[in-house]
Amino acid sequence: MEWLTSLLENPGISVAMPTAIGETLIMMVIASIATVIIGIPLGVVLFVTAPGGMAPVRWINVVLSAIIVNITRSIPYAILMLALIPFTQWIVGTGIGPYAACVSLTIGTAPFFARLVETALRDIHSGKIDAALVMGSTRFQVVRKVMLPEALPGIMAGVTTMIVMVIGYSAMAGIIGGGGLGRLAYNYGFQRFDSQVMLATLVVIVVLVQLVQATGDWLTRKVDHR
């Protein structure tokens, strides 16, 4: 039991880790909610305005898809976070800390999640959309009452994937000043050569990802009535 005693007496685990876990959860929750709020409408617009979509508008689709979504997705997150520091300071008043990291986390993951939403919408049988339009439904009603309910299992699976991605990004954000488990692993595990803190941080991240994945899979099965 000496290893357990040594683990509990390590200030990096007993003192710093609870705070780090709390900061990681803050980043995960805020960034995930903001990503869903931005990503679902963006994914719907990408699908609807695409060639062959319900309301194809080429220039809107090109601006959103080829320019905003694709370019943002192609930028490595660490570079994106550094580039967004002035914007983050303008939004939240600081460029460091978990709340500041939420800005870059949202901008970094929203385009990716929007693509997942668009893919889920593409899996809907076109006959269901056509039938709703023939019955006199407006485009907004088709989106709200047909497309989103039918695509809900795929969207829920996308949400799970996105949250796992946010957790990984939050660890990178911690190294650059975002706080959380990433900062703990870097400050204690790497700079102080503390293998106990490094291992404990990895275990916590793995457990957190597994809990998110298991919960997401369960919710996906619950909403899938096909």
Side-chain angles (χ1 to χ4, degrees):
M1 296 295 290
E2 292 182 2
W3 66 272
L4 180 59
T5 302
S6 174
L7 201 68
L8 295 176
E9 290 178 350
N10 190 322
I13 296 174
S14 61
V15 178
M17 181 162 283
T19 301
I21 293 174
E23 290 176 344
T24 295
L25 292 176
I26 288 172
M27 289 186 281
M28 183 187 77
V29 172
I30 295 178
S32 297
I33 292 174
T35 297
V36 169
I37 292 173
I38 296 171
I40 289 180
L42 181 56
V44 170
V45 174
L46 287 171
F47 176 74
V48 170
T49 60
M54 190 167 56
V57 182
R58 180 172 176 79
W59 72 269
I60 292 179
N61 191 264
V62 168
V63 170
L64 292 178
S65 179
I67 299 178
I68 296 178
V69 172
N70 288 349
I71 290 178
T72 304
R73 289 177 61 200
S74 66
I75 302 174
Y77 175 70
I79 297 175
L80 180 67
M81 183 178 179
L82 291 173
L84 288 173
I85 287 179
F87 178 71
T88 301
Q89 290 175 329
W90 179 68
I91 293 292
V92 298
T94 179
I96 60 174
Y99 292 103
C102 290
V103 176
S104 58
L105 285 171
T106 301
I107 294 175
T109 55
F112 171 78
F113 179 63
R115 285 297 189 197
L116 296 180
V117 173
E118 182 187 16
T119 301
L121 293 171
R122 285 179 178 172
D123 291 336
I124 302 173
H125 195 284
S126 59
K128 296 182 179 180
I129 298 175
D130 294 338
L133 291 171
V134 169
M135 293 173 64
S137 299
T138 64
R139 291 171 180 172
F140 179 76
Q141 288 174 330
V142 172
V143 171
R144 185 170 61 89
K145 296 184 178 180
V146 178
M147 290 169 52
L148 290 179
E150 288 292 326
L152 189 56
I155 293 175
M156 186 59 67
V159 170
T160 303
T161 303
M162 176 269 294
I163 295 176
V164 171
M165 186 177 180
V166 168
I167 295 172
Y169 278 0
S170 70
M172 285 190 282
I175 298 175
I176 310 173
L181 292 168
R183 183 177 64 180
L184 176 68
Y186 182 74
N187 288 349
Y188 283 85
F190 178 74
Q191 291 190 326
R192 302 184 185 183
F193 303 101
D194 193 331
S195 59
Q196 283 186 333
V197 173
M198 185 67 77
L199 181 60
T201 303
L202 290 174
V203 170
V204 171
I205 292 175
V206 169
V207 170
L208 186 58
V209 168
Q210 293 298 321
L211 288 174
V212 169
Q213 189 66 56
T215 304
D217 291 344
W218 178 77
L219 289 173
T220 300
R221 290 192 298 268
K222 293 290 287 185
V223 300
D224 191 354
H225 301 297
R226 293 173 293 184

